[in-house]
Amino acid sequence: MIKIETVLDILKKDSLFREIIDQGHYHYNYCDVVFDTICYDSRKAKEKSLFFVKGAAFKKEFLLSAISQGLDWYVAEKDYEVGIPAIIVSDIKKAMSLIAMEFYGNPQKKLKLLAFTGTKGKTTAAYFAYNILSQGHRPAMLSTMNTTLDGKTFFKSALTTPESIDLFDMMNQAVQNDRTHLIMEVSSQAYLVKRVYGLTFDVGVFLNISPDHIGPIEHPSFEDYFYHKRLLMENSRAVIINSDMDHFSVLKEQVENQDHDFYGSQSSNQIENSKAFSFSASGKLAGDYDIQLIGHFNQENAVAAGLACLRLGASLEDIKKGIAATRVPGRMEVLTQKNGAKIFIDYATMGTVSKNSSMS
């Protein structure tokens, strides 16, 4: 439940509010209206809903359909002149995110938030973090492959990063389920379309960057893609960055005044003695590690997750146990045979690797 006075205060504070238009009359203030639900899907709109008009493909017919279901208020960037009051804002996506935070009780303040971004490896790194934090805490996870809000039930996500209303709804469910941490993948699209607007992460991790998601319906250029990826650094209290990624020098300069850890060859946090199913680490994670996921890049993902979780209350023992326990559905799943040989399954590709084989 949220009062209209609260909605307007939030919008005005962020300079998003323009006016309320009701039957051709303009208002700056309003009172005595309470919203029981918020939504952006016209099929879910009803009496006492606050409906957000978003998306380039939105049609006036959707709004009229919602009104036929009892809708009596909406938020939009223009007046659709449909006979009910409209709260006019300068940016609908920003408005939706900020109001969703408040509507769901600001759940972001009740969880430790860990976010991963990168062209590749977000899901694997999230799974490493989930298994690490599960050793001594109660994490929830929003992942491309699987989402869990209670540590027991897993379901597939529709988007890498959910729409803001869905995101804060899920955060609230995690809080209600007594979760202590939330791990999530944050795509460049999440910043491009403001799904995480106003959200500050406790730790943000940048795994890597390569040209991707560039086109007419995504990013117009690599510069735009890279910029939106870097926004996670700007919106995190502490950051973890791969020193071997392309354009690392830019990130190094960007975060020099933030709490940060680097990993890779240009840092003290390095991978050593890398083998198929084990590696050693130096620096803050100094020690020997067993790992089920083959590939040097997965060892890098494990180190990134370990450094992030260290900042969120995990011990080195938690990190070792969590990395050793991690397997990702369909991503290099490992089956160990009686003779010690390991079979790994990666989608449609299957192969075997000797237990003691070294990695090139």
Side-chain angles (χ1 to χ4, degrees):
M1 185 175 73
I2 190 170
K3 295 180 179 180
I4 194 168
E5 294 96 326
T6 303
V7 169
L8 299 184
D9 285 346
I10 290 168
L11 297 175
K12 290 172 184 177
K13 185 177 179 180
D14 211 65
S15 301
L16 295 170
F17 179 72
R18 294 175 64 162
E19 63 272 324
I20 292 173
I21 302 178
D22 182 11
Q23 303 288 341
H25 298 286
Y26 286 63
H27 304 269
Y28 189 76
N29 294 309
Y30 221 96
C31 60
D32 299 326
V33 177
V34 176
F35 304 106
D36 291 340
T37 63
I38 60 175
C39 61
Y40 59 87
D41 184 338
S42 59
R43 294 166 295 185
K44 296 180 180 179
K46 57 185 179 181
E47 187 178 357
K48 293 190 176 181
S49 291
L50 182 59
F51 177 65
F52 292 85
V53 175
K54 73 168 191 70
F58 185 84
K59 297 178 182 178
K60 186 175 181 177
E61 289 75 19
F62 299 154
L63 189 52
L64 293 172
S65 175
I67 292 170
S68 72
Q69 296 159 196
L71 180 72
D72 41 21
W73 280 85
Y74 68 97
V75 185
E77 292 179 3
K78 69 174 186 177
D79 181 10
Y80 281 82
E81 300 180 354
V82 289
I84 64 171
I87 300 173
I88 307 301
V89 297
S90 58
D91 191 312
I92 190 67
K93 292 294 190 71
K94 290 182 178 180
M96 191 165 76
S97 186
L98 294 178
I99 292 170
M101 279 187 197
E102 181 67 27
F103 183 84
Y104 287 108
N106 289 294
Q108 75 280 1
K109 295 180 180 179
K110 302 163 190 174
L111 296 160
K112 290 292 185 182
L113 303 180
L114 167 56
F116 291 95
T117 200
T119 304
K120 299 175 182 177
K122 294 186 295 296
T123 298
T124 303
Y127 267 80
F128 277 123
Y130 180 77
N131 281 284
I132 291 167
L133 290 172
S134 291
Q135 304 304 314
H137 300 85
R138 299 182 301 280
M141 177 174 66
L142 304 182
S143 162
T144 305
M145 295 291 290
N146 270 315
T147 286
T148 182
L149 304 176
D150 60 6
K152 302 171 186 176
T153 309
F154 290 79
F155 58 93
K156 186 165 178 59
S157 306
L159 296 168
T160 299
T161 310
E163 285 286 0
S164 57
I165 287 180
D166 302 322
L167 173 60
F168 290 105
D169 182 9
M170 287 190 277
M171 279 190 185
N172 181 52
Q173 290 179 55
V175 170
Q176 299 307 313
N177 290 329
D178 198 30
R179 300 291 95 187
T180 56
H181 294 66
L182 176 68
I183 303 149
M184 60 185 289
E185 301 175 35
V186 176
S187 64
S188 57
Q189 285 285 304
Y191 279 107
L192 182 67
V193 298
K194 300 154 190 164
R195 290 176 193 150
V196 290
Y197 181 76
L199 189 58
T200 299
F201 296 93
D202 291 286
V203 182
V205 183
F206 204 144
L207 300 168
N208 50 63
I209 188 77
S210 59
D212 202 354
H213 302 290
I214 298 167
I217 61 172
E218 293 186 278
H219 297 279
S221 64
F222 176 78
E223 179 278 327
D224 190 71
Y225 174 56
F226 188 32
Y227 166 74
H228 284 91
K229 284 284 191 194
R230 297 201 316 274
L231 285 177
L232 176 60
M233 306 295 94
E234 190 175 306
N235 291 282
S236 297
R237 295 184 179 91
V239 299
I240 313 293
I241 301 172
N242 182 354
S243 69
D244 294 318
M245 67 182 288
D246 290 346
H247 309 293
F248 168 65
S249 60
V250 176
L251 285 154
K252 185 178 181 181
E253 291 176 5
Q254 180 178 337
V255 305
E256 62 181 353
N257 295 320
Q258 282 179 268
D259 286 340
H260 63 266
D261 286 304
F262 302 140
Y263 65 97
S265 63
Q266 298 185 58
S267 77
S268 59
N269 300 301
Q270 297 189 25
I271 294 169
E272 302 171 344
N273 195 25
S274 178
K275 296 182 179 179
F277 299 103
S278 68
F279 67 93
S280 299
S282 63
K284 291 186 175 182
L285 300 183
D288 300 321
Y289 294 82
D290 292 323
I291 186 169
Q292 296 189 59
L293 303 179
I294 69 166
H296 191 270
F297 59 94
N298 279 324
Q299 295 176 3
E300 290 181 329
N301 292 334
V303 167
L307 288 168
C309 292
L310 198 62
R311 287 182 172 270
L312 296 172
S315 67
L316 280 176
E317 189 61 27
D318 291 341
I319 294 168
K320 288 185 178 183
K321 288 181 179 178
I323 289 174
T326 298
R327 43 198 332 184
V328 183
R331 304 277 181 93
M332 292 298 182
E333 290 192 78
V334 179
L335 304 175
T336 303
Q337 305 302 293
K338 291 180 180 179
N339 64 359
K342 293 180 183 287
I343 299 173
F344 62 94
I345 304 169
D346 187 24
Y347 298 107
T349 304
M350 183 180 293
T352 59
V353 178
S354 166
K355 181 179 180 181
N356 297 313
S357 64
S358 62
M359 296 177 60
S360 57

